[in-house]
Amino acid sequence: MPRLALFGAAGAIGQSIAAALSQAGKPYRVVGRSEANLKKTFGADPLADITTWDPDSPESVERAAAGIDTLIYLVGVNYWQFELHPALMRKTLAGAIAAGVKRIVLIGTVYPYGKVAGNPIREDQPRRPNSFKGRMRKAQEDLLIQAHADGRIQACVLRLPDFYGPGVEASLLHGAAVAAINGGTADMIGPIDTAHEFVFVPDVGPVVAKLAETPAAYGEIWHLAGAGVTSQRELVSEMERQTGRPLKLRVAGKTLLRLIGLFKPMMREMVEMHYLQTDPVIMDDRALQGLIGPVRKTPYAEGIRQTLAAVANRQALAATVAA
């Protein structure tokens, strides 16, 4: 029986963690709302135990967490429903504690920090969110931190920057990668020349797997930084270098996002987070590497190569199916 479960497993980060566990020969449980999606994603792995849940029900959480020692929390919500984050965490904690779960790892973001005065930032950076989404993510973390302080469960947070990689559609770089292979114009959120960092999704899984089994990790917040400071412009240039042709760009700033948001709710929700494009948050992860050892970080050129290859493979598969 698996002793570790991935709650909200079907996303890109969950798949990366599952791949790392599977490669190490460790059984694991994947928990999600849709059994069909879980079977499609993990059904071929004999080490994966597939379980569904209703995250609104602590009783359902308790059933899904039965027999689990460590819970990796990756539960997402719609970008326009961030008010659900604290409520879902509260219910998950109640169910997990009732089930006897000993440890929980939250995969977090930089949103709770808000604007920062200087980069890179360490884990002791004050959390002063300047957005609704940041406040909701901070409230989620506060529930977890308090549960640890009360001795009800051991907990830690791993913060990730923006991410990219093969098949990762929820990325600032995805549109550019598709346009680089298929042609057309890439829609991007600007400015695209400011400092930024990205983590390559396949690099995340081994880090989470190791962090989860490290006793000293609990009770703390940790950073996993990207493969160095770059910019969207630099990574677009790398795509152009690898494909050998220029890429057409359509860059939306805050004003244009607000206008587009009149017709597309998703774009409207991105307006309040636009500060991350003009006032970037770059993380220092030396503490993490001091805890678990050196972290493998795929160089951006190689990450772009694999990302473009995945887009090309998907296009070829679609053409084959259509034929």
Side-chain angles (χ1 to χ4, degrees):
M1 289 291 292
R3 309 300 294 178
L4 183 147
L6 311 177
F7 275 57
I13 301 300
Q15 292 179 52
S16 175
I17 300 168
L21 294 168
S22 184
Q23 187 173 7
K26 298 179 179 179
Y28 59 95
R29 181 175 298 167
V30 288
V31 179
R33 296 173 176 88
S34 168
E35 184 177 16
N37 286 344
L38 292 173
K39 285 184 174 179
K40 180 180 178 181
T41 306
F42 305 103
D45 187 356
L47 293 173
D49 173 39
I50 293 174
T51 302
T52 57
W53 74 326
D54 174 5
D56 286 322
S57 165
E59 294 79 12
S60 178
V61 178
E62 184 175 352
R63 288 193 298 271
I68 294 299
D69 289 332
T70 303
L71 189 158
I72 311 297
Y73 189 91
L74 305 131
V75 180
V77 301
N78 292 322
Y79 210 55
W80 54 90
Q81 292 182 304
F82 262 51
E83 70 277 3
L84 297 178
H85 272 305
L88 289 175
M89 176 57 77
R90 186 178 294 107
K91 292 170 184 176
T92 301
L93 279 170
I97 292 168
V101 174
K102 298 179 177 64
R103 296 170 294 274
I104 182 169
V105 180
L106 168 64
I107 306 302
T109 77
V110 300
Y111 288 12
Y113 287 134
K115 290 187 178 182
V116 301
N119 284 307
I121 62 167
R122 302 185 312 182
E123 292 83 353
D124 57 1
Q125 172 73 27
R127 295 177 303 150
R128 295 169 180 158
N130 60 312
S131 65
F132 173 76
K133 291 177 177 57
R135 291 193 294 275
M136 293 301 96
R137 286 293 245 172
K138 179 179 181 295
Q140 176 194 52
E141 291 179 0
D142 287 345
L143 289 166
L144 195 66
I145 292 168
Q146 189 61 54
H148 179 93
D150 292 343
R152 293 185 289 145
I153 198 168
Q154 296 179 62
C156 68
V157 179
L158 177 66
R159 297 200 194 287
L160 303 180
D162 284 328
F163 46 84
Y164 78 110
V168 181
E169 296 186 6
S171 168
L172 290 172
L173 302 174
H174 176 68
V178 171
I181 296 299
N182 298 341
T185 301
D187 289 320
M188 303 191 73
I189 298 176
I192 64 172
D193 295 302
T194 52
H196 215 96
E197 65 178 345
F198 293 88
V199 67
F200 188 59
V201 166
D203 292 341
V204 176
V207 172
V208 176
K210 192 165 187 178
L211 188 71
E213 63 182 20
T214 303
Y218 294 90
E220 304 290 343
I221 290 174
W222 304 96
H223 289 169
L224 175 59
V229 178
T230 183
S231 70
Q232 292 187 80
R233 175 80 70 183
E234 288 180 14
L235 297 184
V236 164
S237 295
E238 181 60 29
M239 293 179 192
E240 293 175 327
R241 187 190 70 78
Q242 293 192 21
T243 61
R245 59 178 179 270
L247 185 57
K248 296 179 182 178
L249 304 178
R250 184 165 46 226
V251 180
K254 187 174 183 178
T255 300
L256 185 54
L257 282 177
R258 188 174 282 116
L259 290 173
I260 297 173
L262 296 175
F263 310 97
K264 295 184 177 182
M266 181 65 179
M267 294 297 102
R268 181 171 63 245
E269 292 298 323
M270 299 184 77
V271 172
E272 70 165 339
M273 306 312 300
H274 186 263
Y275 74 91
L276 289 170
Q277 302 301 110
T278 56
D279 299 273
V281 176
I282 307 296
M283 294 188 292
D284 181 333
D285 65 3
R286 286 177 293 179
L288 175 70
Q289 299 202 49
L291 177 72
I292 66 173
V295 171
R296 158 69 177 166
K297 296 184 181 182
T298 300
Y300 286 121
E302 174 59 19
I304 292 297
R305 185 193 69 76
Q306 293 186 37
T307 300
L308 294 178
V311 174
N313 289 340
R314 183 172 183 176
Q315 181 187 38
L317 180 61
T320 299
V321 172

